[in-house]
């Protein structure tokens, strides 16, 4: 079994040299080309001082070159640190410091950000940082010593540091090894319907685990073809899906719905899409009933989904609305949020996970700070397991709140609001002791309130409403997660 990036690249180059590995709007590379190009890139990195264990930051949008650089670094055991293209200068500097990044590769400019200029004035505050390289000027070198270095990399060596946002505090840099990350991705391939024949489109940025794990590494493990683009837009995305005969569209449901609304006007042929894709883009006769298919569930600390069910198959009726079952390599338990003791099946509590596919640790935190005494990671997520082992998600422990002594789970209210005709999205939080909701809809607050009363217990019905026109109005952090504090401020200001 291929258990390092180098082994995977060698295997597919030998077996599928002419098969496209990754395609963007302007270029593409085959598995054979990936092997050759990344050997030469890796040799250049070695010549510049990068070695096994060296931490290298990478900040650039989705493209073929991102994959080439990431693969070149990880083949020789360097630690990849993907960085968000959304980061503002103080955020970028903070992440470089937390991860002790030694070398940084960046595009000169993307969507108004000038990363090389952002870092230059802060070099004195980044003692670990040795060199900053322009991605457009990276050399390539032929050097046979790269093979010898790659041969020393083992599954236990660190593959990447992936950043995720916590509710507060400094950036959280999550450490993953080759073995745990590849194991996590491999365990979910079947649930995501990815195999060697798949032509996968994924809009998620590669700097998130959803893009790196569920996109780049999923394709590399399965021997599939990954199709991506820097800036998804409905018309260009639809044309890309048609041109590349994409068979599997994974990503955000709201993007799929937006594309579906444009399909007729663009007249794009999406007949190559198969079940397992987000359903808004599939013919009506291939769509499941609401709740019948699992909502894949995971986090950066588990290197993506750790719970699911085949995306093209209905779950048993009793499991509708669930996230499916935990994958091999992950053990899940539900504990009381107050004392940490396990609760009975059917009871809501905090989700804790452990197993060989869980992260190795968090930057600048001890093992004892991160894991329980018996090795579980407290996720901060709320959920329950039914008697058949299906897991249901109930939001974040730090998001739940009480109204008149009764507990409100924002995710439960959001799910109910999204069933209202005319609602394209809903985001629920506490506002000064009341339930507040920012809703993407053309409906007024009165109509939304009346519809919510038909779906929710009285104490769960929002009393503070803010309808907005599109998802662009929803405040988000650099990781893409909703900024709850900003959401609360929006609701207060009306």
């Amino acid at each position: 079994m291929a258990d390092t990036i180098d082994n995977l690249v060698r295997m597919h180059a030998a077996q599928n040299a002419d098969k496209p590995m990754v395609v963007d709007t302007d270029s593409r590379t085959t598995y054979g080309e990936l092997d050759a190009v990344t050997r030469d890139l890796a040799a250049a990195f070695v010549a510049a001082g990068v070695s096994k264990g060296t931490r290298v930051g990478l900040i650039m949008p989705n493209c073929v070159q991102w994959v080439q650089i990431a693969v070149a670094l990880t083949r020789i055991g360097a630690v990849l640190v993907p960085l968000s293209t959304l980061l503002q200068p103080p955020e970028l500097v903070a992440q470089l410091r937390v991860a002790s990044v030694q070398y940084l590769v960046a595009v000169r400019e993307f969507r108004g950000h000038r990363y090389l200029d952002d870092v230059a004035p802060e070099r004195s505050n980044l003692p670990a940082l040795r060199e900053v390289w322009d991605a457009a000027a990276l050399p390539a070198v032929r050097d046979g010593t790269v093979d010898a270095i790659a041969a020393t990399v083992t599954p236990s060596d660190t593959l990447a540091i992936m950043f995720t946002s916590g509710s507060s505090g400094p950036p959280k840099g999550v450490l993953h090894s080759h073995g745990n990350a590849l194991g996590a991705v491999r365990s979910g391939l079947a649930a995501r319907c990815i195999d060697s024949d798949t032509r996968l489109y994924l809009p998620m940025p590669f700097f998130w685990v959803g893009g790196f794990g569920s996109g780049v590494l999923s394709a590399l493990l399965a021997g599939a073809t990954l199709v991506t683009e820097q800036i998804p837009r409905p018309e260009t995305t639809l044309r890309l899906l048609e041109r590349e005969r994409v068979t599997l569209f994974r990503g955000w449901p709201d993007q799929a719905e937006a594309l579906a609304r444009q399909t007729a006007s663009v007249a794009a042929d999406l007949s190559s899409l198969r079940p397992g894709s987000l359903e808004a883009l599939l013919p009506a006769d291939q769509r499941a009933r609401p709740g019948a298919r699992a909502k894949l569930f995971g986090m950066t600390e588990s290197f993506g989904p750790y719970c699911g069910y085949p995306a093209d198959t209905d779950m048993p009726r009793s499991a509708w609305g669930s996230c499916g079952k935990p994958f091999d390599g992950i053990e899940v338990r539900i504990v009381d949020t107050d004392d940490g003791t396990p609760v009975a099946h059917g009871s809501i509590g905090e989700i804790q996970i452990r197993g060989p596919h869980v992260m190795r640790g968090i930057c600048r935190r001890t093992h004892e700070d991160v894991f329980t005494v018996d090795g579980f990671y407290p996720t901060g997520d709320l959920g329950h397991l039914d008697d058949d082992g299906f897991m249901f998600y109930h939001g974040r422990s730090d998001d739940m709140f009480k109204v008149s002594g009764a507990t409100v789970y924002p995710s439960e209210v959001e799910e109910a609001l999204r069933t209202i005709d005319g609602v394209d999205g809903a985001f629920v939080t506490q506002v000064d002791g009341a339930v507040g909701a920012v809703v993407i809809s053309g409906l007024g607050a009165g109509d939304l309130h009346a519809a919510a009363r038909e779906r929710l217990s009285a104490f769960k019905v929002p009393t503070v409403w803010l309808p907005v026109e599109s998802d662009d109005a929803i405040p988000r952090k650099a990781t893409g997660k909703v900024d709850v504090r900003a959401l609360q401020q929006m609701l207060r200001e009306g």
Side-chain angles (χ1 to χ4, degrees):
M1 180 180 292
D3 46 15
T4 67
I5 301 300
D6 180 68
N7 287 343
L8 278 170
V9 173
R10 291 173 184 274
M11 179 183 73
H12 288 303
Q15 297 175 355
N16 308 295
D18 297 329
K19 185 176 184 177
M21 187 272 158
V22 60
V23 176
D24 64 27
T25 51
D26 301 314
S27 60
R28 63 186 60 222
T29 191
T30 66
Y31 279 97
E33 291 166 343
L34 183 72
D35 180 31
V37 168
T38 58
R39 281 174 189 261
D40 294 347
L41 263 177
F45 283 126
V46 171
V50 175
S51 59
K52 184 177 176 181
T54 301
R55 296 183 176 192
V56 184
L58 175 60
I59 182 166
M60 63 192 310
N62 286 16
C63 59
V64 167
Q65 190 188 21
W66 195 104
V67 177
Q68 293 171 335
I69 293 171
V71 168
L73 290 167
T74 54
R75 288 187 76 171
I76 55 173
V79 179
L80 176 68
V81 186
L83 296 161
S84 170
T85 58
L86 305 174
L87 294 173
Q88 294 299 323
E91 297 172 312
L92 174 57
V93 170
Q95 292 193 7
L96 292 171
R97 185 181 297 116
V98 166
S100 298
V101 168
Q102 297 159 280
Y103 295 87
L104 175 64
V105 180
V107 291
R108 185 161 291 280
E109 189 275 337
F110 180 65
R111 304 190 83 169
H113 294 268
R114 300 185 67 84
Y115 310 107
L116 301 178
D117 295 340
D118 292 343
V119 172
E122 299 292 337
R123 291 293 294 271
S124 61
N125 296 320
L126 297 167
L129 188 62
R130 302 175 189 172
E131 297 285 347
V132 178
W133 295 317
D134 184 342
L138 288 177
V141 175
R142 291 285 175 90
D143 186 345
T145 62
V146 165
D147 290 347
I149 296 172
T152 70
V153 181
T154 69
S156 63
D157 287 324
T158 304
L159 168 73
I161 296 174
M162 308 297 299
F163 277 96
T164 182
S165 63
S167 57
S168 61
K172 185 192 294 184
V174 181
L175 295 149
H176 288 284
S177 69
H178 285 251
N180 94 259
L182 293 175
V185 174
R186 184 181 286 113
S187 70
L189 288 178
R192 288 180 283 124
C193 301
I194 298 174
D195 59 28
S196 60
D197 295 325
T198 300
R199 297 181 67 84
L200 169 68
Y201 174 85
L202 192 82
M204 294 179 176
F206 294 161
F207 54 74
W208 288 338
V209 76
F212 184 36
S214 297
V216 176
L217 296 189
S218 288
L220 196 55
L221 275 163
T225 298
L226 176 64
V227 179
T228 191
E229 56 187 332
Q230 291 192 5
I231 305 175
R233 296 187 180 95
E235 183 170 355
T236 55
T237 297
L238 287 167
R239 291 301 181 203
L240 183 62
L241 297 176
E242 178 182 50
R243 185 190 82 190
E244 296 301 329
R245 304 300 295 165
V246 167
T247 63
L248 189 66
F249 184 109
R250 304 293 301 172
W252 293 295
D254 57 342
Q255 187 201 20
E257 291 162 5
L259 290 174
R261 290 192 289 270
Q262 299 289 327
T263 302
S265 61
V266 175
D269 178 8
L270 303 184
S271 59
S272 58
L273 287 177
R274 68 188 191 200
S277 298
L278 292 179
E279 295 187 343
L281 293 173
L282 294 175
D285 61 356
Q286 293 183 22
R287 298 177 192 171
R289 289 167 289 179
R293 303 285 167 85
K295 304 172 184 177
L296 294 179
F297 187 73
M299 61 195 314
T300 302
E301 292 88 339
S302 61
F303 208 76
Y306 65 83
C307 200
Y309 201 80
D312 59 355
T313 305
D314 288 358
M315 295 181 291
R317 186 65 180 83
S318 62
W320 284 21
S322 78
C323 305
K325 292 185 175 183
F327 297 146
D328 291 341
I330 292 283
E331 180 184 355
V332 171
R333 73 178 179 189
I334 311 295
V335 303
D336 186 275
T337 54
D338 292 325
D339 61 22
T341 58
V343 300
H345 281 183
S347 298
I348 296 175
E350 183 186 33
I351 302 168
Q352 296 187 346
I353 59 175
R354 74 175 177 187
H357 297 166
V358 178
M359 64 176 173
R360 304 295 88 180
I362 295 175
C363 288
R364 306 196 178 199
R365 293 177 61 182
T366 66
H367 186 275
E368 291 74 18
D369 287 339
V370 175
F371 299 99
T372 64
V373 173
D374 52 353
F376 279 87
Y377 174 64
T379 66
D381 293 320
L382 296 169
H384 82 265
L385 291 167
D386 71 8
D387 290 336
D388 296 316
F390 287 89
M391 193 182 83
F392 292 75
Y393 176 64
H394 293 280
R396 292 283 301 169
S397 59
D398 48 10
D399 289 340
M400 70 177 187
F401 55 92
K402 290 185 180 293
V403 174
S404 301
T407 300
V408 175
Y409 298 102
S411 64
E412 179 186 9
V413 181
E414 290 167 354
E415 185 172 347
L417 297 181
R418 289 171 185 148
T419 67
I420 299 172
D421 288 340
V423 170
D424 295 324
F427 306 86
V428 172
T429 185
Q430 180 182 20
V431 185
D432 301 326
V435 183
V438 177
V439 181
I440 303 172
S441 177
L443 300 175
D447 292 334
L448 291 167
H449 188 83
R453 289 184 62 186
E454 297 176 358
R455 292 164 168 79
L456 293 163
S457 301
F459 72 91
K460 300 176 185 177
V461 176
T463 55
V464 183
W465 294 89
L466 179 61
V468 297
E469 294 183 356
S470 73
D471 187 75
D472 292 339
I474 305 302
R476 298 183 184 276
K477 299 180 180 180
T479 58
K481 294 181 180 179
V482 173
D483 187 330
V484 175
R485 292 182 180 177
L487 201 72
Q488 291 169 336
Q489 189 60 33
M490 285 176 60
L491 286 161
R492 290 189 183 100
E493 295 174 353

